[in-house]
Amino acid sequence: MHYVCTNTSQSLGPLKQYQKIAQALRQQIVSGQYATGALLPSENDLCSQFGTTRMTVRQALSELVREGFIDRQQGKGSVVKADRQSLGLLSFRGFSEVVGRSNHSVRNEFLARPSYTEWPASFFHALSDQEREGGCLWLQRLRYVDDNPVMVEHTYIPAPGLTDLLTEGLIDGSLFRTLSIRHRIHILDMEQAIRAVLTTQEQAGIFRCSEQTPLIYIERRYLTNRPDFYVYSQLYCHTEKYAVSSF
Amino acid sequence: MHYVCTNTSQSLGPLKQYQKIAQALRQQIVSGQYATGALLPSENDLCSQFGTTRMTVRQALSELVREGFIDRQQGKGSVVKADRQSLGLLSFRGFSEVVGRSNHSVRNEFLARPSYTEWPASFFHALSDQEREGGCLWLQRLRYVDDNPVMVEHTYIPAPGLTDLLTEGLIDGSLFRTLSIRHRIHILDMEQAIRAVLTTQEQAGIFRCSEQTPLIYIERRYLTNRPDFYVYSQLYCHTEKYAVSSF
DNA sequence: GAGTGGTCTAGACCACCTG
DNA sequence: AGGTGGTCTAGACCACTCG
């Protein structure tokens, strides 16, 4: 598969040429230097800019495609894609809707603002001693689609060095965007386990449904460009009106 | 000198060189010519075999990696991966099990053997006129993990030209393997919508659980190397003992 | 040490899109 | 017509695995 780069900040190890180029472009994208829909410089421009050949540049651009940052169109260029993590890497669609169309309005709301805490005594994923010791930041969000509450998400982040999340808030309300821009932490991959469960009384209130309504329950571990740094999430999805798609 | 007509019938469609190489290797893999864990010929071997350069060969091999047919290891070679469709592209794992370990025994059983039928009047996905007219093959399977029934799968396949599925049975009990080997139809991608539902009485009997047990319900459309040829599935997953993972 | 895949150079022609 | 990405050639050196 893709292996994780051994390195986040340059001079620690030998970053390949194409990784340097990818990193530079990635940071320009997440920092807003290229808006959604904008074109990156052409391959030839990038060649002279980085003093290399098309093959190396193309390898960098392929990495960005794989990571979902850009699409490429022959005859046109490399198009920056919309924020791909808008709903925690999930997307929803209406029952009878054609795949690919998505004119839903999406809104998020905190059920619990970021706070520092111990890890839960019984956590769904094994933790390293280092993770366990440092405690975690915890936050809970409720996601709406077309003003229907559809997903509750509990997120756990190893705390060390990320205390600004407590004081500064999230950029555009997006956790991943904030991690990208302020900490150069990029989500590269994800593992997940999925089950069906019944609502608790509390959840029934949140989703405005009866108890005994089935929910999708997902446990996730996000892998990042920092070795041994993971973000964890638990998701509860109410799927009566909107199905979950495109994992 | 090289370059022209190493191949008899490419005037039909303009297959790129790297696509031809990929196709050739794909078919050798699915036909069992390379067992799981076996090594493909080295890049240099493939270069001389197909009269091309490493870059073209590497592009072909990258395609096979992306499609899950092989892994590549520096210093070793291109390793053929295990049958990736063993559980209909799903994998299961026990509650407290480490990701990656999978010592489960898996078994399948027909609830309904392949039969020719009309498409359901109200099908979960829009169908083209051509699909609708030709009718479909339908089959229903029950999947076991460690002798626990965990998944019911309804599969719908556009009928034209696939009548051997009725008479010949499936190779190794695998639908996708049969489509690969006997019809050169390879599954390339998938779209899916996922919801949580409650068991019907019939399903409760199959899964040996109470009614009101929540299930994961998945609607799928598989995309193949034949344009406009899709395979459809509905899946019901019982997730009390085994979570679903790795979509 | 021999062979493998990983990275990279310096070119070329083509298909496609846009002004 | 000019520029873009897509495909392809013909080499090179390196990092890694294995016998």
Short mmCIF file of all heavy atoms in Angstrom, two decimals, chain A residues 168-211:
data_model
loop_
_atom_site.label_atom_id
_atom_site.label_comp_id
_atom_site.label_asym_id
_atom_site.label_seq_id
_atom_site.Cartn_x
_atom_site.Cartn_y
_atom_site.Cartn_z
N GLU A 168 -7.69 28.11 20.79
CA GLU A 168 -7.81 28.85 19.53
C GLU A 168 -9.05 28.50 18.73
O GLU A 168 -9.41 29.19 17.80
CB GLU A 168 -6.58 28.56 18.65
CG GLU A 168 -5.25 28.96 19.28
CD GLU A 168 -4.92 30.41 19.00
OE1 GLU A 168 -5.41 30.92 17.98
OE2 GLU A 168 -4.18 31.01 19.79
N GLY A 169 -9.66 27.37 19.02
CA GLY A 169 -10.79 26.96 18.19
C GLY A 169 -10.31 26.34 16.89
O GLY A 169 -9.12 26.25 16.63
N LEU A 170 -11.26 25.91 16.09
CA LEU A 170 -10.93 25.22 14.84
C LEU A 170 -11.06 26.16 13.66
O LEU A 170 -11.96 26.99 13.61
CB LEU A 170 -11.85 24.01 14.65
CG LEU A 170 -11.88 22.99 15.79
CD1 LEU A 170 -12.78 21.83 15.43
CD2 LEU A 170 -10.48 22.50 16.11
N ILE A 171 -10.17 26.00 12.71
CA ILE A 171 -10.24 26.79 11.49
C ILE A 171 -11.41 26.30 10.64
O ILE A 171 -11.50 25.12 10.31
CB ILE A 171 -8.93 26.65 10.68
CG1 ILE A 171 -7.77 27.18 11.49
CG2 ILE A 171 -9.05 27.35 9.34
CD1 ILE A 171 -6.42 26.90 10.87
N ASP A 172 -12.31 27.19 10.32
CA ASP A 172 -13.51 26.82 9.55
C ASP A 172 -14.30 25.70 10.23
O ASP A 172 -15.04 24.98 9.55
CB ASP A 172 -13.15 26.36 8.13
CG ASP A 172 -12.43 27.44 7.35
OD1 ASP A 172 -12.54 28.60 7.73
OD2 ASP A 172 -11.78 27.09 6.35
N GLY A 173 -14.11 25.52 11.52
CA GLY A 173 -14.83 24.45 12.21
C GLY A 173 -14.34 23.07 11.86
O GLY A 173 -14.93 22.08 12.27
N SER A 174 -13.22 22.98 11.11
CA SER A 174 -12.75 21.67 10.69
C SER A 174 -11.51 21.25 11.47
O SER A 174 -10.49 21.91 11.47
CB SER A 174 -12.42 21.70 9.19
OG SER A 174 -11.60 20.59 8.87
N LEU A 175 -11.63 20.12 12.13
CA LEU A 175 -10.51 19.60 12.91
C LEU A 175 -9.33 19.25 12.02
O LEU A 175 -8.18 19.62 12.29
CB LEU A 175 -10.96 18.36 13.69
CG LEU A 175 -9.84 17.61 14.42
CD1 LEU A 175 -9.22 18.48 15.49
CD2 LEU A 175 -10.39 16.32 15.02
N PHE A 176 -9.60 18.53 10.94
CA PHE A 176 -8.52 18.07 10.08
C PHE A 176 -7.83 19.24 9.39
O PHE A 176 -6.63 19.24 9.20
CB PHE A 176 -9.03 17.06 9.06
CG PHE A 176 -9.40 15.74 9.68
CD1 PHE A 176 -10.45 14.99 9.18
CD2 PHE A 176 -8.68 15.25 10.75
CE1 PHE A 176 -10.79 13.77 9.76
CE2 PHE A 176 -9.01 14.03 11.33
CZ PHE A 176 -10.06 13.30 10.84
N ARG A 177 -8.63 20.21 9.01
CA ARG A 177 -8.05 21.40 8.40
C ARG A 177 -7.13 22.11 9.39
O ARG A 177 -6.05 22.56 9.04
CB ARG A 177 -9.19 22.31 7.95
CG ARG A 177 -8.80 23.37 6.96
CD ARG A 177 -10.05 24.05 6.38
NE ARG A 177 -9.70 25.29 5.74
CZ ARG A 177 -9.06 25.36 4.58
NH1 ARG A 177 -8.74 24.25 3.94
NH2 ARG A 177 -8.76 26.53 4.05
N THR A 178 -7.57 22.16 10.63
CA THR A 178 -6.77 22.81 11.66
C THR A 178 -5.47 22.05 11.90
O THR A 178 -4.39 22.64 12.01
CB THR A 178 -7.57 22.91 12.97
OG1 THR A 178 -8.83 23.51 12.70
CG2 THR A 178 -6.80 23.72 14.01
N LEU A 179 -5.57 20.74 11.97
CA LEU A 179 -4.35 19.94 12.15
C LEU A 179 -3.40 20.14 10.97
O LEU A 179 -2.19 20.21 11.13
CB LEU A 179 -4.71 18.46 12.28
CG LEU A 179 -5.39 18.03 13.59
CD1 LEU A 179 -5.77 16.56 13.54
CD2 LEU A 179 -4.50 18.30 14.79
N SER A 180 -3.95 20.23 9.77
CA SER A 180 -3.14 20.43 8.58
C SER A 180 -2.39 21.76 8.63
O SER A 180 -1.18 21.82 8.48
CB SER A 180 -4.03 20.44 7.32
OG SER A 180 -4.07 19.18 6.73
N ILE A 181 -3.14 22.81 8.86
CA ILE A 181 -2.57 24.14 8.72
C ILE A 181 -1.69 24.50 9.91
O ILE A 181 -0.57 24.99 9.76
CB ILE A 181 -3.69 25.19 8.54
CG1 ILE A 181 -4.42 24.92 7.22
CG2 ILE A 181 -3.12 26.60 8.59
CD1 ILE A 181 -5.59 25.82 6.98
N ARG A 182 -2.19 24.24 11.10
CA ARG A 182 -1.43 24.71 12.27
C ARG A 182 -0.36 23.73 12.71
O ARG A 182 0.59 24.11 13.39
CB ARG A 182 -2.39 25.00 13.42
CG ARG A 182 -3.12 26.33 13.23
CD ARG A 182 -3.29 27.08 14.53
NE ARG A 182 -4.36 26.55 15.33
CZ ARG A 182 -5.60 27.04 15.36
NH1 ARG A 182 -5.91 28.08 14.62
NH2 ARG A 182 -6.51 26.49 16.11
N HIS A 183 -0.51 22.46 12.37
CA HIS A 183 0.45 21.48 12.89
C HIS A 183 1.08 20.62 11.82
O HIS A 183 1.87 19.73 12.14
CB HIS A 183 -0.24 20.58 13.93
CG HIS A 183 -0.78 21.33 15.09
ND1 HIS A 183 0.01 21.73 16.14
CD2 HIS A 183 -2.02 21.79 15.36
CE1 HIS A 183 -0.73 22.39 17.01
NE2 HIS A 183 -1.97 22.45 16.56
N ARG A 184 0.72 20.88 10.57
CA ARG A 184 1.30 20.09 9.48
C ARG A 184 1.05 18.61 9.66
O ARG A 184 1.88 17.79 9.31
CB ARG A 184 2.81 20.34 9.35
CG ARG A 184 3.20 21.80 9.20
CD ARG A 184 2.88 22.28 7.81
NE ARG A 184 3.25 23.67 7.60
CZ ARG A 184 2.38 24.61 7.22
NH1 ARG A 184 1.11 24.30 7.02
NH2 ARG A 184 2.77 25.83 7.01
N ILE A 185 -0.06 18.29 10.29
CA ILE A 185 -0.44 16.89 10.43
C ILE A 185 -1.51 16.59 9.39
O ILE A 185 -2.57 17.20 9.40
CB ILE A 185 -0.98 16.59 11.84
CG1 ILE A 185 0.12 16.80 12.88
CG2 ILE A 185 -1.53 15.17 11.92
CD1 ILE A 185 -0.36 16.68 14.30
N HIS A 186 -1.20 15.66 8.48
CA HIS A 186 -2.15 15.33 7.44
C HIS A 186 -2.66 13.91 7.61
O HIS A 186 -1.88 13.00 7.87
CB HIS A 186 -1.49 15.47 6.06
CG HIS A 186 -0.79 16.78 5.88
ND1 HIS A 186 -1.47 17.97 5.83
CD2 HIS A 186 0.52 17.09 5.77
CE1 HIS A 186 -0.61 18.96 5.67
NE2 HIS A 186 0.62 18.45 5.64
N ILE A 187 -3.94 13.73 7.44
CA ILE A 187 -4.54 12.40 7.53
C ILE A 187 -4.25 11.66 6.24
O ILE A 187 -4.58 12.13 5.16
CB ILE A 187 -6.06 12.50 7.74
CG1 ILE A 187 -6.39 13.38 8.94
CG2 ILE A 187 -6.67 11.10 7.89
CD1 ILE A 187 -5.88 12.89 10.25
N LEU A 188 -3.64 10.49 6.35
CA LEU A 188 -3.27 9.76 5.14
C LEU A 188 -4.13 8.54 4.91
O LEU A 188 -4.35 8.13 3.79
CB LEU A 188 -1.80 9.33 5.23
CG LEU A 188 -0.78 10.45 5.30
CD1 LEU A 188 0.61 9.88 5.28
CD2 LEU A 188 -0.97 11.40 4.14
N ASP A 189 -4.62 7.95 5.97
CA ASP A 189 -5.37 6.72 5.79
C ASP A 189 -6.21 6.46 7.03
O ASP A 189 -6.14 7.21 8.01
CB ASP A 189 -4.42 5.55 5.53
CG ASP A 189 -5.08 4.41 4.81
OD1 ASP A 189 -6.31 4.48 4.58
OD2 ASP A 189 -4.38 3.44 4.50
N MET A 190 -6.97 5.40 7.01
CA MET A 190 -7.93 5.17 8.06
C MET A 190 -8.21 3.67 8.19
O MET A 190 -8.22 2.97 7.19
CB MET A 190 -9.22 5.90 7.68
CG MET A 190 -10.35 5.76 8.64
SD MET A 190 -11.84 6.51 7.94
CE MET A 190 -12.06 5.49 6.49
N GLU A 191 -8.39 3.21 9.40
CA GLU A 191 -8.90 1.86 9.63
C GLU A 191 -10.23 2.01 10.33
O GLU A 191 -10.40 2.90 11.14
CB GLU A 191 -7.96 1.08 10.54
CG GLU A 191 -6.55 0.94 10.04
CD GLU A 191 -5.60 0.53 11.15
OE1 GLU A 191 -6.01 0.53 12.33
OE2 GLU A 191 -4.45 0.20 10.82
N GLN A 192 -11.15 1.11 10.05
CA GLN A 192 -12.43 1.23 10.74
C GLN A 192 -13.11 -0.10 10.93
O GLN A 192 -12.92 -1.04 10.17
CB GLN A 192 -13.35 2.20 10.01
CG GLN A 192 -13.65 1.82 8.59
CD GLN A 192 -14.46 2.89 7.87
OE1 GLN A 192 -14.89 3.87 8.47
NE2 GLN A 192 -14.69 2.68 6.59
N ALA A 193 -13.88 -0.17 12.00
CA ALA A 193 -14.74 -1.31 12.25
C ALA A 193 -16.17 -0.79 12.35
O ALA A 193 -16.41 0.25 12.95
CB ALA A 193 -14.35 -2.00 13.55
N ILE A 194 -17.09 -1.52 11.75
CA ILE A 194 -18.45 -1.03 11.60
C ILE A 194 -19.44 -2.04 12.16
O ILE A 194 -19.32 -3.23 11.87
CB ILE A 194 -18.76 -0.77 10.11
CG1 ILE A 194 -17.71 0.17 9.53
CG2 ILE A 194 -20.15 -0.22 9.93
CD1 ILE A 194 -17.85 0.40 8.05
N ARG A 195 -20.39 -1.55 12.93
CA ARG A 195 -21.44 -2.42 13.44
C ARG A 195 -22.79 -1.72 13.41
O ARG A 195 -22.85 -0.50 13.25
CB ARG A 195 -21.11 -2.83 14.88
CG ARG A 195 -19.95 -3.78 15.00
CD ARG A 195 -19.94 -4.44 16.36
NE ARG A 195 -19.38 -3.57 17.36
CZ ARG A 195 -18.07 -3.46 17.60
NH1 ARG A 195 -17.21 -4.13 16.87
NH2 ARG A 195 -17.64 -2.67 18.54
N ALA A 196 -23.82 -2.48 13.60
CA ALA A 196 -25.16 -1.91 13.75
C ALA A 196 -25.54 -2.00 15.22
O ALA A 196 -25.31 -3.02 15.86
CB ALA A 196 -26.17 -2.66 12.89
N VAL A 197 -26.09 -0.93 15.76
CA VAL A 197 -26.50 -0.91 17.17
C VAL A 197 -27.87 -0.25 17.28
O VAL A 197 -28.38 0.30 16.31
CB VAL A 197 -25.50 -0.12 18.05
CG1 VAL A 197 -24.11 -0.76 18.00
CG2 VAL A 197 -25.42 1.33 17.60
N LEU A 198 -28.45 -0.32 18.47
CA LEU A 198 -29.71 0.37 18.72
C LEU A 198 -29.44 1.68 19.47
O LEU A 198 -28.48 1.78 20.21
CB LEU A 198 -30.66 -0.51 19.55
CG LEU A 198 -31.11 -1.81 18.86
CD1 LEU A 198 -31.98 -2.62 19.80
CD2 LEU A 198 -31.86 -1.48 17.58
N THR A 199 -30.32 2.67 19.26
CA THR A 199 -30.13 3.95 19.94
C THR A 199 -30.25 3.81 21.44
O THR A 199 -31.04 3.02 21.94
CB THR A 199 -31.21 4.97 19.52
OG1 THR A 199 -32.47 4.33 19.58
CG2 THR A 199 -30.95 5.52 18.16
N THR A 200 -29.46 4.57 22.13
CA THR A 200 -29.72 4.79 23.55
C THR A 200 -30.81 5.85 23.66
O THR A 200 -31.16 6.50 22.68
CB THR A 200 -28.46 5.30 24.26
OG1 THR A 200 -28.12 6.58 23.69
CG2 THR A 200 -27.29 4.35 24.06
N GLN A 201 -31.29 6.02 24.87
CA GLN A 201 -32.32 7.03 25.09
C GLN A 201 -31.78 8.42 24.73
O GLN A 201 -32.44 9.21 24.07
CB GLN A 201 -32.73 6.99 26.56
CG GLN A 201 -34.04 7.72 26.85
CD GLN A 201 -34.47 7.53 28.29
OE1 GLN A 201 -33.88 6.75 29.03
NE2 GLN A 201 -35.50 8.26 28.69
N GLU A 202 -30.56 8.67 25.14
CA GLU A 202 -29.95 9.97 24.86
C GLU A 202 -29.84 10.22 23.36
O GLU A 202 -30.16 11.30 22.86
CB GLU A 202 -28.57 10.03 25.53
CG GLU A 202 -27.91 11.38 25.40
CD GLU A 202 -26.46 11.32 25.85
OE1 GLU A 202 -26.02 10.23 26.30
OE2 GLU A 202 -25.76 12.35 25.73
N GLN A 203 -29.40 9.19 22.64
CA GLN A 203 -29.24 9.35 21.19
C GLN A 203 -30.58 9.55 20.51
O GLN A 203 -30.71 10.32 19.54
CB GLN A 203 -28.53 8.13 20.62
CG GLN A 203 -27.05 8.09 20.98
CD GLN A 203 -26.42 6.75 20.72
OE1 GLN A 203 -27.12 5.75 20.60
NE2 GLN A 203 -25.10 6.72 20.63
N ALA A 204 -31.60 8.86 21.00
CA ALA A 204 -32.93 9.04 20.42
C ALA A 204 -33.36 10.49 20.52
O ALA A 204 -33.98 11.05 19.61
CB ALA A 204 -33.94 8.12 21.10
N GLY A 205 -33.00 11.11 21.64
CA GLY A 205 -33.31 12.53 21.79
C GLY A 205 -32.55 13.38 20.78
O GLY A 205 -33.11 14.29 20.16
N ILE A 206 -31.31 13.08 20.62
CA ILE A 206 -30.48 13.87 19.70
C ILE A 206 -30.96 13.73 18.26
O ILE A 206 -31.09 14.71 17.53
CB ILE A 206 -29.01 13.41 19.80
CG1 ILE A 206 -28.42 13.82 21.15
CG2 ILE A 206 -28.19 14.00 18.67
CD1 ILE A 206 -27.06 13.24 21.43
N PHE A 207 -31.24 12.51 17.85
CA PHE A 207 -31.64 12.28 16.47
C PHE A 207 -33.15 12.47 16.26
O PHE A 207 -33.65 12.30 15.16
CB PHE A 207 -31.24 10.86 16.02
CG PHE A 207 -29.76 10.66 15.87
CD1 PHE A 207 -29.12 9.63 16.52
CD2 PHE A 207 -29.01 11.50 15.06
CE1 PHE A 207 -27.74 9.43 16.37
CE2 PHE A 207 -27.65 11.31 14.91
CZ PHE A 207 -27.01 10.28 15.57
N ARG A 208 -33.86 12.76 17.34
CA ARG A 208 -35.31 12.95 17.26
C ARG A 208 -35.96 11.73 16.63
O ARG A 208 -36.70 11.82 15.64
CB ARG A 208 -35.66 14.18 16.42
CG ARG A 208 -35.00 15.47 16.90
CD ARG A 208 -35.32 16.58 15.91
NE ARG A 208 -34.32 17.63 15.92
CZ ARG A 208 -33.95 18.31 14.84
NH1 ARG A 208 -34.50 18.05 13.68
NH2 ARG A 208 -33.05 19.26 14.92
N CYS A 209 -35.63 10.57 17.17
CA CYS A 209 -36.24 9.35 16.66
C CYS A 209 -36.65 8.50 17.86
O CYS A 209 -36.33 8.82 19.00
CB CYS A 209 -35.27 8.57 15.78
SG CYS A 209 -33.79 8.01 16.64
N SER A 210 -37.35 7.40 17.59
CA SER A 210 -37.74 6.54 18.69
C SER A 210 -36.54 5.75 19.18
O SER A 210 -35.55 5.61 18.47
CB SER A 210 -38.83 5.57 18.22
OG SER A 210 -38.31 4.75 17.21
N GLU A 211 -36.63 5.25 20.39
CA GLU A 211 -35.62 4.29 20.82
C GLU A 211 -35.83 3.04 19.97
O GLU A 211 -36.81 2.90 19.27
CB GLU A 211 -35.78 3.98 22.31
CG GLU A 211 -35.21 5.08 23.18
CD GLU A 211 -35.21 4.71 24.64
OE1 GLU A 211 -34.50 3.75 24.99
OE2 GLU A 211 -35.92 5.37 25.41
#
